[in-house]
Amino acid sequence: MKICQSTYRSDAWESIRIDEGFSSEKAQLVIVFGERKLFEQMQVYSKVREDFPHAEIVINSTAGEIFNTGVETQTIVVTALQFENTQIKTTQISISDTSESYQAACQLVEALQADDLVHIMVISDGGVVNGSALVRALNEHTSPHVTVTGGLAGDDDRFEKTLVGLNAEPSEGKIIGIGFYGSHLRIGHGTMGGWDVFGPEREITQSQYNVLYSIGGKPALELYKEYLGKYAKDLPGAALLFPLSMRVDADSAPVVRTILSIDEKQQSMTFAGEIPKGALIRFMKANFDNLLDASSEAAENALQSLSFKPELAILISCVGRRLVLGYRTEEELEAAREVFGPETCITGFYSYGEISPLMAEAKCDLHNQTMTITTFTEI
């Protein structure tokens, strides 16, 4: 695999890396992560298409752009890939309502299906799409040997709209699937949160999609405030420090759910992901050292199936982690770099939801407040 990477910042493009033997004419896939408002002001796709005339070009807005061990919010990061023995195919599905998410994912998998398909990376709108329904369809329709990772686009901390595009200027309501084919590509993945849980596990007794109304028969927001204590006065901002751990049932592994907003009148909470009735939840709190250690663990997990360091690592972390970690955010990127070493090319973005398996042989899940890492190496 040969890689070329560049950034746009302060009104100028800058080349960061270009591997020996890389040819812009032979690049097969270009991934573009960037600030939503820059995409609206510039013809980014047109510029990237001029540079890489034959590549599949995937673009999405972010809540922070990752390159190497840096994260910024007013940049564009372009990573072009030239594979030696791996084929790439892409597809894009458009939706206008969250209810279309499941069927859209079914169509996405159908378009990419093939005997030699080994991995699907999904880049999805982060506002219109129901990420939980998206993941459910991906799991139901992919073969056991096909891994799935990806994330939901972001919009800094504005939560206004997100933009995604395939071979076109990005827009709302798009879901992109990137299929990787062949026997020469080795994929690694890792996911870790690093939050501390506290209090007993309780059952969700009333909810609708991503709105939680009651826990154990008690109004959800009332109970949440009891556990937050003195921090309750700082809601809704304090909610980033206290997400929920959720298990769909007693046999499921826990995933993290971020609180997006609260409703004092209905005593309800709205989450970045489905939170179904009957699920089991526990409260969580931020532990800064554990959050940073989680990045190292995710990177280590991504290397478990490999006997060598990866050529490319795509890091997708949650906007909530960036907002909680603040000035320490780059430490979680540095932690990953320490695991991978200096040669691995690192890119990625802060998202409104992360898609990755929890364990090596598991199907993918929708996560919030996690660091997810996907690694790629050709042999």
Side-chain angles (χ1 to χ4, degrees):
M1 183 193 307
K2 303 291 191 298
I3 301 173
C4 174
Q5 196 171 43
S6 61
T7 64
Y8 177 87
R9 55 153 76 116
S10 303
D11 299 324
W13 288 94
E14 176 187 0
S15 177
I16 297 175
R17 166 178 177 159
I18 181 165
D19 290 349
E20 184 178 355
F22 177 87
S23 168
S24 59
E25 295 283 333
K26 294 180 180 179
Q28 295 147 281
L29 176 64
V30 180
I31 305 172
V32 183
F33 302 132
E35 158 66 42
R36 188 258 295 177
K37 291 190 175 183
L38 286 178
F39 289 153
E40 292 177 328
Q41 297 164 7
M42 302 166 57
Q43 298 294 309
V44 174
Y45 167 70
S46 299
K47 195 274 180 193
V48 176
R49 173 56 71 201
E50 287 180 8
D51 292 342
F52 307 101
H54 306 300
E56 299 295 311
I57 300 173
V58 176
I59 303 174
N60 71 273
S61 63
T62 83
E65 301 83 56
I66 295 170
F67 57 96
N68 197 12
T69 58
V71 56
E72 297 188 35
T73 57
Q74 299 293 323
T75 63
I76 297 170
V77 181
V78 178
T79 305
L81 307 175
Q82 176 186 327
F83 295 95
E84 300 297 324
N85 298 290
T86 300
Q87 299 303 310
I88 302 295
K89 182 180 179 181
T90 60
T91 188
Q92 177 177 275
I93 310 295
S94 299
I95 71 170
S96 57
D97 185 83
T98 56
S99 64
E100 302 170 12
S101 302
Y102 181 90
Q103 187 57 39
C106 293
Q107 295 173 26
L108 183 149
V109 174
E110 183 179 1
L112 297 176
Q113 202 65 266
D115 291 342
D116 59 345
L117 175 66
V118 294
H119 183 75
I120 297 174
M121 173 158 277
V122 178
I123 301 295
S124 170
D125 175 281
V128 178
V129 172
N130 176 337
S132 299
L134 178 76
V135 164
R136 187 163 57 251
L138 291 169
N139 283 335
E140 291 176 3
H141 294 276
T142 51
S143 301
H145 69 276
V146 176
T147 52
V148 180
T149 61
L152 308 186
D155 181 30
D156 202 357
D157 59 357
R158 296 180 291 259
F159 298 94
E160 295 172 355
K161 61 181 177 180
T162 65
L163 305 178
V164 173
L166 172 63
N167 298 326
E169 301 296 343
S171 58
E172 295 180 78
K174 309 296 183 185
I175 307 170
I176 295 171
I178 310 168
F180 297 82
Y181 303 82
S183 60
H184 293 271
L185 191 65
R186 296 294 179 268
I187 308 289
H189 57 78
T191 298
M192 198 61 62
W195 300 82
D196 289 344
V197 294
F198 66 101
E201 193 169 55
R202 298 169 182 265
E203 182 179 350
I204 294 172
T205 46
Q206 185 182 0
S207 66
Q208 184 175 3
Y209 172 42
N210 64 337
V211 182
L212 174 58
Y213 293 100
S214 68
I215 304 170
K218 192 168 185 176
L221 184 58
E222 178 184 332
L223 182 63
Y224 185 64
K225 285 183 174 181
E226 286 181 13
Y227 272 87
L228 261 61
K230 65 180 182 180
Y231 295 100
K233 63 179 174 50
D234 297 322
L235 287 172
L240 285 174
L241 296 171
F242 299 93
L244 295 188
S245 170
M246 183 193 77
R247 295 194 297 159
V248 174
D249 54 49
D251 297 323
S252 301
V255 294
V256 183
R257 286 290 176 262
T258 300
I259 300 164
L260 296 179
S261 62
I262 62 175
D263 187 323
E264 294 282 359
K265 184 177 180 180
Q266 296 192 46
Q267 287 292 289
S268 65
M269 301 185 288
T270 300
F271 289 81
E274 190 173 13
I275 190 150
K277 181 180 178 180
L280 304 170
I281 62 99
R282 291 184 72 184
F283 296 107
M284 308 180 82
K285 58 184 177 181
N287 180 317
F288 285 83
D289 289 336
N290 285 355
L291 289 174
L292 297 173
D293 289 342
S295 182
S296 292
E297 292 182 52
E300 293 283 2
N301 289 343
L303 294 181
Q304 279 185 358
S305 61
L306 305 175
S307 58
F308 39 77
K309 294 298 176 73
E311 294 172 292
L312 172 69
I314 298 179
L315 280 55
I316 301 179
S317 187
C318 183
V319 58
R321 294 174 70 88
R322 182 174 70 80
L323 296 176
V324 168
L325 288 170
Y327 72 92
R328 297 188 67 183
T329 300
E330 291 189 352
E331 291 182 43
E332 76 166 354
L333 309 181
E334 292 165 358
R337 168 60 77 194
E338 288 180 9
V339 173
F340 294 135
E343 298 303 318
T344 299
C345 177
I346 292 179
T347 187
F349 67 99
Y350 282 82
S351 73
Y352 284 178
E354 304 81 59
I355 298 172
S356 179
L358 273 171
M359 297 170 288
E361 302 300 326
K363 289 289 190 177
C364 66
D365 281 300
L366 174 70
H367 307 275
N368 303 139
Q369 298 283 28
T370 61
M371 165 63 83
T372 67
I373 300 176
T374 309
T375 59
F376 298 85
T377 304
E378 272 197 309
I379 60 171

